[in-house]
Amino acid sequence: MLPAPESTRLVTIIAHVDHGKTTLADNLIESNGIISERLAGTLRYLDSDAEEQRRGITMRASAIGLRHVYNPPKMSSGSSFPQDMVVHMIDSPGHVDFAAEVTSSLLLCDSAILVVDAVEGICARTHSLLREAYLHQLVPVLVVNKVDRLCMDLGLDPSEAYVRIRELIESMNAVCASMLNSDVNDDTMEAVDGDVNANNDNDIDEKKASLWNFDPIKGNVVFASGLHGWGFTIPTLARSLFKSKTIPMKPPLLRQYLFGDFKYNAETGKVLKWKQSGNSSGEPMFAEYALAPLWEIYEGVSQAAASVGLKSELFAHNSAQNGNTGKKTENAKILASTSGMDRVLAAIQIGSTSPGVISPQPNNSNHDDRPIPQTTDDMQRLISRLGASSESSIVSAVLRRYRPLSVSVLDAVCETGPSPAKATLELRPKVLALQDPPHQNDDFDNMQQAVHQCNPENATVVAHVCKFASISRSAVTDPDLPSVSPDDQSSSIMMGIARVLSGTLCTGDEYYMFGPRYNGSSDDVPKQKIRCYLLMGSSFVRVNSIPAGHICAIYDLEKLQLKTVTLSNKKECMPLRGFDFGLQPLVKVNVEPVNASDTETLEKGLLKLSLADSSVEVTATAKGERILACLGEIHLERSILDLETVYCDGNIKIRTSDPITSFRETTAWFPNEEDFDSFRNSKIPPLRQTIIPPYCDEEGLEHAYKGRCRAVISGRGCAITIRIVPLPRSVYECLKSKKLIEGCEDDLMMLGKALKCSNNESTLTPQSALTALLGSLDDIDSNGNALLEAPVLYEGRSVKAVCSTNGEVYIPPKEEITKDGEDDSENVDGLEEYNAVQECLRTGMDKEVCDSDTNNALNDADAIALDKWRQDMRGSALAGFQLAMRAGPLCEEPVQGVAVILESVEIAMRDDGTKQFTPAKELSGGMVVAALRSGIRCALLSRPARIVEGHLKLTLHSSLAGLGSLHAVLSKRRGRVVTDSMVDGTDLIQVTATIPQAESFGLAPELLKKSSGEVTAPELVFSHWEVLEEDPFWVPTTEEEREDHGDLTTASDSDALKYIRIVRSRKGLLVDSSKIVVAAEKQRTLSRKK
């Protein structure tokens, strides 16, 4: 039933939202007779879900198998014959909220049809889709869609339209070249150490550059109108002009001139250079032979409508062409004899790309029912048979025969796109490859070779399920489908969408199931019997077998609870490598059933939802919350709807919380902190957050001052001094890459001075500061935090053994902590060591000063304490750092952009009388972890507090009339416009802006309401983290501040404080009251005075 891999193509359609993917898919489906010609382009067959039809956008990727007769061009060596092909096509969503569906589609396919609007051009989503397709190693085919808008909406003549299309293709190639160059630079950096495979790498780079260069001459560019069903490529147009003897030039030579600045002189038969500017006569060949007949057809039908009194639908947006001079009559209809239709009939006689014209075959029965009208009677019969009465229907009926879109696109896919066998062997060997096993063996090598060769016969069966989908049982054709039990009222089943990589997958056979994290070390591999189905849009047809190189659906995998799975009939198999693009959910809500008895049903539904949608994250908190995280608001609405109607059997009501926003906590610099000695000796009053509840209740806060804390371990058997300073992002990147990066100099100098990386500031440079930091670096995490160990601690100079009588370290009085130096109290146990440590800390991070200090030699007790620190406590300190970074003191959100410096350690020791020192008290790892965590939190509270909020990047289009409302809404939500530029040929402005995530909820409805529809719905993607430069606990202190802000005794309701209160309230933490009684003696009387 299904052909060999050589006669198969796997292709997905990708594009920015509303650029015409589903309309194009309708035309391809219509070529197989699945839908009628009249509905093609408007039915949106693959958008089978009711919510997709209501919103008018694709939300779920849909697949369908199409048959196509491919007529390859004749070679010089002889004639070519038609080939029966099967094309598996997947229509993927364009909205960024459903990016996970696109990722799974790209993994399934080998070719990508990239659709670009000829008017709107390259949009934000186009860039990301190009990059994703390139990373998946797909072969692209560019479809320049909506070319008809250049004529009808913009009113361009054929020459102007040609220039517009040429510039669009040049822009696409510029984007691809930039992408290729960045990839080549990355590969070059990785291969600096050797140049063994330089020649092979160059060959591969040239091949990539050829595949990702859109050149109409090669045939990987299709010019089309999905709405009216026409399309063509330059090679097919060249064959048509040669067959009709319009231009007596061989097609291989003719197509070199058809798309370029060339014009043809019919009298002399010569090709001349065409100049865009100046007084050059004539039109470029593309405008004359490709676009001019199409323009003539549109204008002729519009003239025919005007002659019978109908208002033109085609040129409704172009008043210059919309002239209605005729008088409307009763039951006015456009006939073949109507004035203007003669222009249409003359235009379609030259330049047709119909298979019957360019590749006539004696048995080509597929297109016998679509001949091109030759006479007025033929045209009238065509109009009558299709019942075409409107301008659009007549144009579609004529152009589908003149230049059929489905034939052009499918021919381009068959000619340009690789077969599954060629793709796995030559183009996608890294993507479509199994993970390496822990131990190499011959069976696995044979299996890997079978996958690369896409061998369907006598080979190990390997298939990969890249996504799951919930399918209505009414859409599944399977007589042996298990019957529904009385207790199970479910109307849907879970299907896995898979690609067969090698062998033949058979219904009823058992296969081993390998999850994405399987590493080959376990012998316990689950085995499951499956059923195979062919995908036909919204229908699924059961089949007995699926050979390699095809896409299918698999039933009976739901119990595995895996989002992706690899199937094989051999236990030695490994899972497919796959891709992880790190899609970050932007919208989180807490979901709970309205009726508490439906809790179990909700949990089962959430499990099915997370299985069917790989971009959904479902987590359970310690408080019993069920957090549902989605990529955007539309994605969240769709997920909630599916949860209620599909995954929870349609008999449950769900209550959702307000959107949950993630924040980060960080700190800022003190005013004079870059001067190490001056800052250390200065006295500042305690920050406000250290004296107000609930923050002042933090354990150990009395030992913290100006970002430095002396963390005392439980039992007072040890004290660890730590300091916290801000870690700028540029410095973090330098520490991560271990080299200077552009723009980091000022931040490195600031940090170097604050930590005193050099005793002489005049010798401090960014490189010396980075060297000092790298020499002290212990750990670095993914949130921009670093753990450093001061040289005095690493060398043991600040490690002191305290031989006290009570087995405790010295604890200074609270009033002495703010001195930030030596304690002048009377001589008590541990005071000498405490003062010695404070003196060591004055050297900062200068390693040379530490090395030159010979007066502070280690005694026996200090040496034992140092060994105790290095052997038993340092690892626990690292764990305490990691634990503290997970939840900060302000609202228990992760900490970001902070450097923690371990400065000193004091350990209480006991002498048994023989100079054998041992710790006076037990110092377990858990005690050190708890002390470090508490100390870091207290040190953060003693510094200026800041909140870090996520910012989203939004892109939208606005008319000139909607700009005022757009800027007003963005300003109210603290948004910033990054770029705004006019879209060529339109009155639309493309705006790119950033907006805080906390302010982004409900943005689209507000923009639509305020601008009266003049602004399109924005597309939001995560951009970056940015510090909110507001002190949450600020209150006016000076006379000027009191005059400006009033005599406030509590913090003003700043955005930062508002966010902290919201997060603390959501997490069930104590919240400082936002309403404080200022004058308690003024009481309200209970009785109302009349």
Side-chain angles (χ1 to χ4, degrees):
M1 180 180 179
L2 295 174
E6 291 74 15
S7 300
T8 306
R9 297 292 185 270
L10 308 178
V11 62
T12 181
I13 306 177
I14 57 176
H16 185 80
V17 64
D18 289 336
H19 275 204
K21 298 178 303 299
T22 308
T23 304
L24 173 63
D26 272 3
N27 286 276
L28 303 185
I29 294 171
E30 183 267 335
S31 66
N32 274 227
I34 299 175
I35 60 177
S36 68
E37 181 181 342
R38 295 184 63 184
L39 296 177
T42 57
L43 178 63
R44 293 174 34 238
Y45 177 77
L46 292 180
D47 286 351
S48 56
D49 187 81
E51 189 69 10
E52 291 179 322
Q53 291 286 344
R54 184 181 73 85
R55 291 182 179 269
I57 61 174
T58 303
M59 297 183 176
R60 294 287 184 266
S62 300
I64 191 169
L66 303 175
R67 290 194 174 275
H68 175 62
V69 179
Y70 170 49
N71 293 293
K74 291 184 178 181
M75 304 298 176
S76 58
S77 59
S79 61
S80 58
F81 298 96
Q83 301 176 12
D84 291 330
M85 309 288 290
V86 169
V87 179
H88 292 278
M89 181 187 67
I90 300 180
D91 179 27
S92 61
H95 200 283
V96 69
D97 281 11
F98 307 98
E101 296 285 324
V102 180
T103 302
S104 61
S105 301
L106 294 175
L107 185 60
L108 281 171
C109 298
D110 302 321
S111 306
I113 299 176
L114 179 62
V115 184
V116 179
D117 191 321
V119 175
E120 294 185 8
I122 303 175
C123 296
R125 185 74 178 131
T126 311
H127 287 271
S128 58
L129 289 171
L130 269 173
R131 184 66 184 173
E132 249 190 290
Y134 176 74
L135 291 177
H136 277 87
Q137 300 176 342
L138 267 67
V139 177
V141 174
L142 176 63
V143 175
V144 182
N145 195 26
K146 303 185 181 181
V147 178
D148 55 298
R149 291 186 61 192
L150 300 177
C151 172
M152 297 187 299
D153 292 357
L154 304 187
L156 304 180
D157 61 38
S159 296
E160 294 171 336
Y162 156 70
V163 174
R164 180 70 174 266
I165 295 172
R166 185 192 63 190
E167 292 175 350
L168 172 60
I169 296 176
E170 290 174 352
S171 300
M172 290 292 299
N173 286 329
V175 173
C176 294
S178 175
M179 180 176 64
L180 288 169
N181 290 335
S182 63
D183 187 54
V184 169
N185 292 335
D186 293 342
D187 293 343
T188 303
M189 292 300 294
E190 293 177 0
V192 166
D193 296 335
D195 195 21
V196 178
N197 297 322
N199 293 331
N200 293 336
D201 292 341
N202 291 334
D203 293 341
I204 294 174
D205 293 340
E206 292 178 1
K207 194 171 185 178
K208 286 182 180 179
S210 176
L211 290 176
W212 284 90
N213 178 53
F214 296 113
D215 186 358
I217 297 174
K218 296 192 302 184
N220 62 352
V221 179
V222 181
F223 308 94
S225 169
L227 180 63
H228 296 138
W230 63 263
F232 64 93
T233 62
I234 292 300
T236 56
L237 182 61
R239 291 159 64 185
S240 172
L241 295 175
F242 175 74
K243 290 279 187 182
S244 61
K245 299 181 180 180
T246 304
I247 301 179
M249 193 180 300
K250 292 290 185 179
L253 179 61
L254 176 58
R255 64 184 185 181
Q256 302 294 327
Y257 302 109
L258 270 180
F259 192 86
D261 293 343
F262 302 100
K263 61 181 181 180
Y264 179 69
N265 190 328
E267 296 179 357
T268 61
K270 293 182 179 181
V271 176
L272 307 175
K273 194 70 176 177
W274 177 79
K275 295 182 180 179
Q276 181 177 346
S277 59
N279 298 325
S280 176
S281 60
E283 294 181 329
M285 296 180 68
F286 183 81
E288 182 178 358
Y289 296 102
L291 299 182
L294 300 172
W295 265 234
E296 188 72 8
I297 293 171
Y298 282 112
E299 293 173 359
V301 174
S302 178
Q303 178 186 341
S307 64
V308 297
L310 297 176
K311 185 177 181 180
S312 176
E313 301 172 359
L314 300 177
F315 295 92
H317 301 287
N318 189 356
S319 58
Q321 294 286 343
N322 189 13
N324 185 9
T325 58
K327 184 177 181 181
K328 184 175 180 180
T329 58
E330 292 293 331
N331 300 323
K333 291 184 180 181
I334 300 176
L335 303 176
S337 57
T338 305
S339 175
M341 292 301 293
D342 54 333
R343 300 172 60 185
V344 176
L345 190 61
I348 62 177
Q349 303 307 316
I350 298 177
S352 172
T353 58
S354 172
V357 173
I358 61 175
S359 300
Q361 300 291 338
N363 297 324
N364 191 6
S365 59
N366 292 337
H367 303 276
D368 288 344
D369 58 337
R370 293 194 176 183
I372 298 176
Q374 303 293 327
T375 63
T376 303
D377 294 338
D378 293 342
M379 181 70 75
Q380 184 60 50
R381 280 193 293 269
L382 173 62
I383 296 175
S384 302
R385 181 165 58 87
L386 294 179
S389 57
S390 63
E391 289 177 273
S392 182
S393 60
I394 292 176
V395 166
S396 297
V398 172
L399 291 178
R400 286 181 195 278
R401 287 152 178 78
Y402 178 56
R403 291 180 181 173
L405 173 61
S406 59
V407 176
S408 299
V409 173
L410 293 177
D411 278 354
V413 169
C414 293
E415 185 171 351
T416 305
S419 66
K422 181 180 179 181
T424 53
L425 184 62
E426 300 178 10
L427 302 177
R428 309 182 69 196
K430 295 181 180 179
V431 177
L432 300 177
L434 304 176
Q435 298 180 17
D436 295 330
H439 305 288
Q440 292 291 336
N441 57 78
D442 294 338
D443 291 338
F444 178 80
D445 293 340
N446 295 333
M447 196 180 308
Q448 187 80 281
Q449 185 177 3
V451 170
H452 284 162
Q453 295 177 350
C454 194
N455 187 3
E457 298 179 357
N458 302 323
T460 303
V461 179
V462 179
H464 179 70
V465 178
C466 65
K467 61 166 285 188
F468 284 84
S470 180
I471 309 300
S472 174
R473 289 198 174 183
S474 61
V476 180
T477 303
D478 186 359
D480 298 329
L481 196 67
S483 59
V484 182
S485 62
D487 297 333
D488 184 12
Q489 300 298 325
S490 174
S491 61
S492 63
I493 59 177
M494 198 70 69
M495 291 274 199
I497 311 302
R499 170 173 176 163
V500 184
L501 299 173
S502 67
T504 301
L505 203 66
C506 298
T507 296
D509 289 355
E510 286 188 336
Y511 296 95
Y512 292 102
M513 307 292 168
F514 303 92
R517 296 184 179 180
Y518 177 77
N519 56 11
S521 60
S522 174
D523 292 333
D524 186 16
V525 181
K527 203 172 184 181
Q528 183 72 34
K529 186 179 292 186
I530 66 167
R531 295 169 180 264
C532 301
Y533 299 85
L534 269 182
L535 287 77
M536 297 300 296
S538 59
S539 303
F540 292 75
V541 181
R542 177 186 161 184
V543 292
N544 295 326
S545 62
I546 302 288
H550 293 272
I551 297 174
C552 66
I554 301 177
Y555 177 57
D556 274 349
L557 300 179
E558 181 180 354
K559 297 179 181 178
L560 297 173
Q561 298 183 6
L562 296 171
K563 292 191 176 184
T564 61
V565 61
T566 302
L567 290 73
S568 179
N569 59 348
K570 288 191 177 181
K571 203 172 183 179
E572 295 79 14
C573 187
M574 294 290 292
L576 196 73
R577 290 177 182 174
F579 266 89
D580 182 14
F581 282 89
L583 297 173
Q584 184 174 358
L586 301 180
V587 184
K588 301 178 182 179
V589 294
N590 176 28
V591 294
E592 60 182 14
V594 175
N595 190 350
S597 61
D598 294 329
T599 301
E600 185 178 358
T601 304
L602 175 62
E603 291 177 348
K604 291 181 179 179
L606 287 172
L607 180 61
K608 293 180 180 179
L609 175 62
S610 64
L611 194 65
D613 193 339
S614 58
S615 60
V616 166
E617 292 183 2
V618 179
T619 55
T621 65
K623 292 174 55 180
E625 296 177 314
R626 299 165 188 85
I627 305 298
L628 176 63
C630 300
L631 295 180
E633 291 187 71
I634 297 180
H635 188 206
L636 175 65
E637 294 175 10
R638 174 61 192 259
S639 299
I640 295 296
L641 180 63
D642 287 346
L643 198 58
E644 290 181 337
T645 58
V646 179
Y647 303 114
C648 291
D649 308 338
N651 55 4
I652 183 175
K653 295 297 181 182
I654 297 175
R655 182 189 300 117
T656 60
S657 68
D658 293 333
I660 299 172
T661 306
S662 297
F663 294 94
R664 299 286 189 267
E665 300 181 25
T666 190
T667 184
W669 292 104
F670 281 103
N672 62 334
E673 196 168 356
E674 69 276 5
D675 189 341
F676 181 86
D677 295 324
S678 174
F679 175 72
R680 182 175 176 82
N681 297 326
S682 65
K683 293 184 179 181
I684 61 174
L687 299 181
R688 193 170 182 278
Q689 61 265 28
T690 63
I691 58 176
I692 63 172
Y695 315 102
C696 64
D697 298 330
E698 189 75 36
E699 183 181 357
L701 189 58
E702 65 274 9
H703 302 301
Y705 180 60
K706 293 194 302 185
R708 181 177 277 112
C709 181
R710 191 165 178 261
V712 180
I713 291 180
S714 178
R716 298 187 175 184
C718 177
I720 304 175
T721 304
I722 59 176
R723 184 186 177 189
I724 284 182
V725 294
L727 183 64
R729 188 69 187 182
S730 60
V731 180
Y732 169 78
E733 295 295 340
C734 289
L735 294 176
K736 195 173 180 181
S737 61
K738 299 182 180 180
K739 63 180 180 180
L740 290 175
I741 62 174
E742 185 178 357
C744 68
E745 291 80 6
D746 293 340
D747 291 333
L748 269 173
M749 290 297 291
M750 176 68 181
L751 188 59
K753 293 177 181 179
L755 297 180
K756 200 175 182 179
C757 291
S758 175
N759 195 37
N760 187 0
E761 287 191 6
S762 61
T763 62
L764 181 66
T765 63
Q767 183 60 55
S768 63
L770 178 60
T771 303
L773 294 175
L774 288 173
S776 304
L777 184 63
D778 272 359
D779 185 49
I780 189 168
D781 66 8
S782 59
N783 279 344
N785 306 306
L787 177 65
L788 306 173
E789 188 174 357
V792 289
L793 177 59
Y794 182 79
E795 299 292 340
R797 305 297 182 184
S798 62
V799 178
K800 298 298 178 182
V802 179
C803 298
S804 59
T805 56
N806 59 357
E808 297 179 357
V809 298
Y810 173 69
I811 304 296
K814 186 175 182 179
E815 60 272 9
E816 297 294 336
I817 297 176
T818 57
K819 291 184 178 181
D820 208 359
E822 298 181 7
D823 191 351
D824 297 330
S825 304
E826 60 182 6
N827 190 16
V828 295
D829 289 344
L831 177 59
E832 180 182 354
E833 291 80 3
Y834 173 78
N835 289 333
V837 164
Q838 297 301 317
E839 184 63 28
C840 285
L841 298 185
R842 293 184 180 277
T843 61
M845 298 278 289
D846 192 349
K847 191 175 186 300
E848 294 181 359
V849 174
C850 178
D851 293 339
S852 62
D853 184 10
T854 59
N855 297 324
N856 196 12
L858 296 178
N859 55 36
D860 294 342
D862 292 344
I864 294 175
L866 177 60
D867 185 68
K868 176 68 175 177
W869 161 252
R870 290 176 174 175
Q871 299 296 329
D872 300 334
M873 299 175 61
R874 180 184 284 172
S876 300
L878 174 59
F881 160 75
Q882 295 171 344
L883 187 62
M885 296 298 102
R886 294 179 185 175
L890 297 181
C891 51
E892 302 296 324
E893 290 288 282
V895 179
Q896 178 174 306
V898 162
V900 180
I901 301 99
L902 301 175
E903 294 187 325
S904 69
V905 176
E906 301 165 59
I907 303 176
M909 306 294 286
R910 179 181 292 111
D911 184 5
D912 58 1
T914 61
K915 298 296 182 179
Q916 296 294 324
F917 296 96
T918 58
K921 294 187 177 180
E922 180 68 24
L923 300 177
S924 65
M927 296 169 65
V928 177
V929 169
L932 256 292
R933 175 182 178 275
S934 177
I936 292 174
R937 291 170 63 90
C938 294
L940 280 170
L941 282 175
S942 66
R943 294 191 58 91
R946 294 292 185 270
I947 287 293
V948 186
E949 55 183 352
H951 278 243
L952 308 181
K953 178 183 177 183
L954 64 89
T955 55
L956 49 80
H957 289 85
S958 171
S959 65
L960 295 175
L963 277 181
S965 302
L966 170 63
H967 284 281
V969 172
L970 290 180
S971 177
K972 184 182 72 172
R973 293 172 176 261
R974 296 190 293 118
R976 298 192 303 268
V977 175
V978 179
T979 60
D980 53 353
S981 58
M982 292 290 297
V983 179
D984 293 340
T986 69
D987 61 346
L988 296 178
I989 300 176
Q990 181 173 330
V991 179
T992 303
T994 60
I995 187 172
Q997 183 180 356
E999 303 290 343
S1000 65
F1001 304 113
L1003 175 63
E1006 183 178 5
L1007 283 175
L1008 185 65
K1009 180 180 179 182
K1010 296 289 185 181
S1011 66
S1012 300
E1014 296 290 339
V1015 178
T1016 61
E1019 284 200 359
L1020 298 171
V1021 294
F1022 185 81
S1023 177
H1024 64 281
W1025 291 97
E1026 185 173 315
V1027 178
L1028 179 58
E1029 293 294 347
E1030 290 182 357
D1031 187 352
F1033 307 101
W1034 178 86
V1035 291
T1037 54
T1038 65
E1039 289 296 333
E1040 294 181 358
E1041 290 174 346
R1042 289 192 179 97
E1043 289 180 1
D1044 294 338
H1045 302 280
D1047 190 10
L1048 300 176
T1049 57
T1050 182
S1052 61
D1053 290 334
S1054 63
D1055 290 326
L1057 182 61
K1058 178 182 69 175
Y1059 295 147
I1060 291 175
R1061 287 171 173 167
I1062 290 174
V1063 175
R1064 291 187 69 93
S1065 176
R1066 175 174 58 82
K1067 293 183 177 182
L1069 304 173
L1070 292 176
V1071 182
D1072 59 323
S1073 176
S1074 58
K1075 293 183 180 180
I1076 302 296
V1077 178
V1078 178
E1081 67 277 4
K1082 295 182 180 179
Q1083 297 182 3
R1084 180 179 64 86
T1085 55
L1086 297 178
S1087 60
R1088 185 186 298 272
K1089 293 183 179 181
K1090 299 182 180 178

